[in-house]
Amino acid sequence: MSSYKHLIVAALSIGAISVSSPAALQCAPVPDSITLNPNGKLFSPFTFNHAKHIQSIKECADCHHHTTGTLVLDPNCARCHQNSSPTAVVSCKGCHSATPFSPETLAAKRADKQRYHLDKMGLKGAMHQNCIGCHTKVGNGPTGCQDCHPRTQQGAAFYSTNRKGAKPAHAEEE
Amino acid sequence: MKRRNFLKACLIGGTTIALGKTNKGWASGSFEGYPEAMGVLVDTTRCIGCRSCEAACNKEQKLPEPDTSFDDPSVFEHERRPTSKAYTVVNRYQKEQPSGPVYRKVQCNHCNEPACLTSCFVNAYTKTQEGAVIYNSKVCVGCRNCMIACPFNVPGYDYDSATNPIVKKCILCYDTRLKYGKPPACVEICPQEALTFGHRADLIKLAHERIRATPERYVDHVYGEKEVGGTSWLYLAPVGFDKLGFDTTLSNDPIISNVKDFLGMVPMVLSIWPALFSGIHLLCKHEEQDGHGHDTDSNQEDTKP
Ligand code: SF4
Ligand code: SF4
């Protein structure tokens, strides 16, 4: 590693230490808990224990690709982003669109011929893949839908929950 | 209907069909779908088998209540096919694979050159420029040729109504969403973004890019890119497609190419057989309409004696 990079890493780690001060790197203080799925219709909103995750994971970039504190670790991203500054926005919704397949999003993608990140995930996909992916890998986190966010009444109707235990469709067909 | 009228209907019907067929590209590979067609890329490495897509399809298409809830995992014990009550189903494969099971969503693949469409002699099927293969129940005679012709075994049949049988299958949410540029209901609900909606041409590039970027994750093949002349639904998989219930013996030629030569040899089949059937159909429809007023469907008006 070049001394230049060492310098950046050093500078950034100082940033990480003083991260609780709002002035540092213009970032907001790290929240201890976050309400996810705030507008959920089929599944209720729930509280995500950020503090607990920080404790057990330690490396911010394991969840946030680039954060206020570390360089991008993914060697693939580093090819272009090794000198990128830590971004002001680290929340998923800062980059991942909530409507990745809307006519507007698709048209904008088509129009922008220079665009590199063509396969960027939508918000819902990014979050679920992040959570479920890691929980599956480490083997000790919830992976079922309702383990995190219980269904609403509307959700129960949508999934025909009351028909649990009924004869499966294939039993008739044979 | 008089016998004379019946024969007249047969003739007119036959002519319409003969003309119709030429527009549909009987020559092998002459039609590559519509350039602006939309599609869906299914990444089976992302799917977790939550069956939300099945539930969303059920609600969007106003299908009957399922026999068992959409979170009953017991359905995975058997391989399922789409039916008239479920236009899409998720199956589980490769349970023993070290990285866990692989789930695969099944529905109409919306072929570029649909075998269902070419096999239908009353033109009940339409391939729209948005990529969807839709179906008009008003002209369907219920012969079920499409069910036999479909290489993916997709169209389901509603047997509940004996007098007005209806073929049922995924229509890519054409009426309610695709027409307005919106993604189908299954895509919108998928929590894992296992389903990616976009222009078919872009999705093919995207699929190959995913393989290139993470070659350890995928087998190097995009199912549906070339199979039976290409389909609007495309698939990526972590293991050989044959292990996930895909038919890997299908040729890259559209299904119609396989029977074209045979049909050429026996033009009588083409001219008489469909005409006869549509004649019978018109006869039936005519009787029906006498009691119920006129059908406004243009396809019928054209051939009405
Ligand atoms: S998959 Fe079958 S039903 Fe769907 S368009 Fe192709 S041939 Fe027709
Ligand atoms: S909604 Fe998505 S993740 Fe769930 S079963 Fe369907 S394709 Fe798979």
Side-chain angles (χ1 to χ4, degrees), chain B residues 17-18 20-21 24 26 114-126 134-136 139-147 149 167 256 270 273-274:
Chain B
I17 282 135
K21 288 294 183 202
K24 292 192 216 163
W26 280 75
C116 55
L117 184 152
T118 27
S119 75
C120 178
F121 49 76
V122 293
N123 289 341
Y125 284 92
T126 309
I134 57 170
Y135 161 86
N136 179 358
V139 297
C140 175
V141 295
C143 73
R144 272 171 271 173
N145 265 342
C146 51
M147 293 177 74
V167 172
I256 190 61
L270 247 181
W273 174 70

Coordinates of all heavy atoms in Angstrom, one line a residue, chain B residues 17-18 20-21 24 26 114-126 134-136 139-147 149 167 256 270 273-274:
Chain B
I17 N -57.8 -16.8 -41.5 CA -56.7 -17.5 -40.8 C -55.5 -17.6 -41.7 O -54.4 -17.3 -41.3 CB -57.2 -18.9 -40.3 CG1 -58.0 -18.7 -39.1 CG2 -56.0 -19.7 -40.0 CD1 -59.3 -19.5 -39.1
A18 N -55.7 -17.9 -43.0 CA -54.5 -18.0 -43.9 C -53.8 -16.7 -43.9 O -52.6 -16.6 -43.9 CB -55.0 -18.5 -45.3
G20 N -53.9 -14.2 -41.7 CA -53.4 -14.0 -40.4 C -52.1 -14.6 -40.1 O -51.1 -14.0 -39.6
K21 N -52.0 -15.8 -40.6 CA -50.8 -16.6 -40.3 C -49.5 -16.0 -40.9 O -48.5 -16.0 -40.4 CB -50.9 -18.0 -40.8 CG -51.9 -18.9 -40.0 CD -51.4 -19.2 -38.6 CE -52.3 -20.1 -37.9 NZ -52.2 -20.0 -36.5
K24 N -47.7 -13.5 -39.0 CA -47.1 -14.0 -37.7 C -45.7 -14.6 -37.9 O -45.1 -15.1 -37.0 CB -48.0 -15.1 -37.1 CG -49.3 -14.5 -36.6 CD -49.9 -15.6 -35.7 CE -51.4 -15.6 -35.8 NZ -51.9 -16.8 -35.3
W26 N -44.2 -17.1 -40.3 CA -44.1 -18.6 -40.4 C -42.7 -19.1 -40.7 O -42.3 -20.1 -40.4 CB -45.1 -19.2 -41.4 CG -46.5 -19.2 -40.9 CD1 -47.3 -18.2 -40.7 CD2 -47.2 -20.4 -40.5 NE1 -48.5 -18.6 -40.2 CE2 -48.5 -20.0 -40.1 CE3 -46.8 -21.7 -40.4 CZ2 -49.4 -20.9 -39.6 CZ3 -47.8 -22.6 -40.0 CH2 -49.1 -22.2 -39.5
P114 N -44.4 -17.1 -30.1 CA -45.2 -18.0 -29.2 C -45.8 -19.2 -30.0 O -46.5 -19.0 -31.0 CB -46.3 -17.1 -28.6 CG -45.9 -15.7 -29.0 CD -45.1 -15.8 -30.2
A115 N -45.5 -20.4 -29.5 CA -46.1 -21.6 -30.1 C -47.6 -21.6 -29.9 O -48.4 -22.1 -30.7 CB -45.5 -22.8 -29.6
C116 N -48.1 -21.0 -28.8 CA -49.5 -21.0 -28.5 C -50.2 -20.2 -29.6 O -51.2 -20.5 -30.0 CB -49.7 -20.4 -27.1 SG -49.0 -18.8 -26.9
L117 N -49.6 -19.1 -29.9 CA -50.1 -18.1 -30.9 C -50.2 -18.8 -32.3 O -51.2 -18.8 -32.9 CB -49.3 -16.9 -30.9 CG -49.7 -15.7 -31.8 CD1 -49.2 -14.4 -31.1 CD2 -49.2 -15.8 -33.2
T118 N -49.1 -19.4 -32.7 CA -49.1 -20.0 -34.0 C -50.0 -21.2 -34.1 O -50.5 -21.5 -35.2 CB -47.6 -20.4 -34.4 OG1 -46.9 -20.7 -33.3 CG2 -47.0 -19.3 -35.2
S119 N -50.2 -21.9 -33.0 CA -51.0 -23.1 -33.0 C -52.5 -22.7 -33.0 O -53.4 -23.6 -33.3 CB -50.7 -24.0 -31.9 OG -51.3 -23.4 -30.7
C120 N -52.8 -21.5 -32.7 CA -54.2 -21.1 -32.5 C -54.8 -20.6 -33.8 O -54.3 -19.6 -34.4 CB -54.3 -20.0 -31.5 SG -56.0 -19.4 -31.3
F121 N -55.8 -21.3 -34.3 CA -56.3 -21.0 -35.7 C -57.5 -20.0 -35.6 O -58.0 -19.6 -36.7 CB -56.8 -22.2 -36.4 CG -57.6 -23.1 -35.7 CD1 -59.0 -22.8 -35.4 CD2 -57.1 -24.3 -35.1 CE1 -59.8 -23.7 -34.7 CE2 -57.9 -25.2 -34.4 CZ -59.2 -24.8 -34.2
V122 N -57.9 -19.5 -34.5 CA -58.9 -18.4 -34.4 C -58.2 -17.1 -33.9 O -58.9 -16.2 -33.6 CB -60.1 -18.8 -33.5 CG1 -60.9 -19.9 -34.1 CG2 -59.6 -19.1 -32.1
N123 N -56.9 -17.1 -33.9 CA -56.2 -15.9 -33.5 C -56.6 -15.4 -32.1 O -56.9 -14.2 -31.9 CB -56.4 -14.8 -34.5 CG -55.6 -15.0 -35.8 OD1 -54.7 -15.8 -35.8 ND2 -56.0 -14.4 -36.8
A124 N -56.7 -16.3 -31.1 CA -57.1 -15.9 -29.8 C -55.9 -15.2 -29.1 O -56.1 -14.5 -28.1 CB -57.6 -17.1 -29.0
Y125 N -54.7 -15.5 -29.6 CA -53.5 -15.0 -28.9 C -53.0 -13.8 -29.7 O -53.0 -13.7 -30.9 CB -52.4 -16.1 -28.8 CG -52.7 -17.1 -27.8 CD1 -53.4 -18.3 -28.1 CD2 -52.2 -16.9 -26.5 CE1 -53.6 -19.3 -27.1 CE2 -52.4 -17.9 -25.5 CZ -53.1 -19.0 -25.8 OH -53.3 -20.0 -24.8
T126 N -52.4 -12.9 -28.9 CA -51.7 -11.7 -29.5 C -50.4 -11.5 -28.8 O -50.3 -11.6 -27.6 CB -52.6 -10.4 -29.3 OG1 -53.9 -10.7 -29.7 CG2 -52.0 -9.3 -30.0
I134 N -50.9 -12.1 -24.9 CA -52.2 -12.1 -24.2 C -53.3 -12.9 -25.0 O -52.9 -13.4 -26.1 CB -52.8 -10.6 -24.1 CG1 -52.8 -9.9 -25.5 CG2 -51.9 -9.8 -23.2 CD1 -53.5 -8.6 -25.5
Y135 N -54.4 -13.1 -24.4 CA -55.3 -14.1 -24.9 C -56.8 -13.5 -24.9 O -57.1 -12.8 -24.0 CB -55.2 -15.3 -24.0 CG -56.4 -16.2 -24.0 CD1 -56.4 -17.3 -25.0 CD2 -57.4 -16.2 -23.1 CE1 -57.4 -18.2 -25.0 CE2 -58.4 -17.1 -23.1 CZ -58.5 -18.1 -24.0 OH -59.5 -18.9 -24.0
N136 N -57.5 -13.8 -25.9 CA -58.9 -13.3 -26.0 C -59.9 -14.4 -25.9 O -60.0 -15.2 -26.8 CB -59.0 -12.6 -27.4 CG -60.4 -12.0 -27.6 OD1 -61.3 -12.2 -26.8 ND2 -60.7 -11.4 -28.7
V139 N -62.9 -15.3 -28.6 CA -62.8 -16.0 -29.8 C -62.4 -17.4 -29.6 O -62.4 -18.2 -30.6 CB -61.9 -15.3 -30.9 CG1 -62.5 -13.9 -31.2 CG2 -60.5 -15.1 -30.3
C140 N -61.9 -17.7 -28.4 CA -61.4 -19.1 -28.2 C -62.5 -20.1 -28.4 O -63.6 -20.0 -27.9 CB -60.8 -19.2 -26.7 SG -60.3 -20.8 -26.2
V141 N -62.1 -21.2 -29.1 CA -63.1 -22.3 -29.3 C -62.8 -23.4 -28.4 O -63.5 -24.4 -28.4 CB -63.0 -22.9 -30.8 CG1 -63.4 -21.8 -31.8 CG2 -61.6 -23.4 -31.1
G142 N -61.8 -23.3 -27.5 CA -61.5 -24.3 -26.5 C -60.9 -25.6 -27.1 O -61.1 -26.7 -26.5
C143 N -60.2 -25.5 -28.2 CA -59.6 -26.7 -28.8 C -58.4 -27.2 -28.0 O -58.0 -28.4 -28.1 CB -59.2 -26.5 -30.2 SG -57.8 -25.5 -30.4
R144 N -57.8 -26.3 -27.3 CA -56.6 -26.7 -26.4 C -55.3 -27.0 -27.2 O -54.5 -27.7 -26.7 CB -56.9 -27.8 -25.5 CG -57.5 -27.2 -24.2 CD -58.0 -28.3 -23.3 NE -59.4 -28.6 -23.6 CZ -60.1 -29.6 -23.0 NH1 -59.5 -30.4 -22.2 NH2 -61.3 -29.8 -23.3
N145 N -55.3 -26.6 -28.5 CA -54.1 -26.7 -29.2 C -52.9 -26.0 -28.6 O -51.8 -26.5 -28.6 CB -54.2 -26.1 -30.6 CG -54.7 -27.1 -31.7 OD1 -54.5 -28.3 -31.4 ND2 -55.2 -26.7 -32.8
C146 N -53.2 -24.8 -28.0 CA -52.1 -24.0 -27.4 C -51.5 -24.7 -26.2 O -50.3 -24.7 -26.0 CB -52.7 -22.7 -26.9 SG -54.2 -22.8 -25.9
M147 N -52.3 -25.5 -25.5 CA -51.8 -26.2 -24.3 C -50.8 -27.3 -24.8 O -49.8 -27.6 -24.1 CB -52.9 -26.9 -23.6 CG -53.8 -25.9 -22.9 SD -55.2 -26.7 -22.0 CE -54.3 -27.4 -20.6
A149 N -49.2 -27.2 -27.8 CA -48.1 -26.5 -28.5 C -47.0 -25.9 -27.6 O -45.9 -25.9 -27.9 CB -48.7 -25.5 -29.4
V167 N -59.0 -20.7 -21.6 CA -57.6 -21.0 -21.3 C -57.1 -19.8 -20.4 O -57.4 -18.7 -20.6 CB -56.8 -21.0 -22.6 CG1 -55.3 -21.1 -22.4 CG2 -57.3 -22.2 -23.5
I256 N -42.6 -23.3 -34.2 CA -43.3 -23.4 -35.5 C -42.3 -23.9 -36.6 O -42.8 -24.5 -37.5 CB -43.9 -22.0 -35.9 CG1 -44.8 -22.1 -37.1 CG2 -42.9 -20.9 -36.1 CD1 -46.0 -23.1 -36.8
L270 N -54.0 -27.3 -43.4 CA -54.1 -25.9 -43.1 C -55.4 -25.2 -43.6 O -56.0 -24.4 -42.9 CB -52.9 -25.1 -43.9 CG -51.8 -24.5 -43.0 CD1 -50.8 -23.9 -43.9 CD2 -52.4 -23.5 -42.0
W273 N -58.9 -27.9 -42.1 CA -59.0 -28.2 -40.7 C -59.4 -26.9 -39.9 O -60.4 -26.9 -39.2 CB -57.8 -28.9 -40.3 CG -57.6 -29.2 -38.9 CD1 -58.3 -30.1 -38.1 CD2 -56.7 -28.6 -38.0 NE1 -57.8 -30.1 -36.9 CE2 -56.8 -29.2 -36.8 CE3 -55.7 -27.7 -38.2 CZ2 -56.0 -28.9 -35.7 CZ3 -54.9 -27.3 -37.1 CH2 -55.1 -27.9 -35.9
P274 N -58.6 -25.9 -40.0 CA -59.0 -24.7 -39.2 C -60.3 -24.1 -39.6 O -61.1 -23.7 -38.8 CB -57.9 -23.7 -39.5 CG -56.9 -24.3 -40.4 CD -57.4 -25.6 -40.9

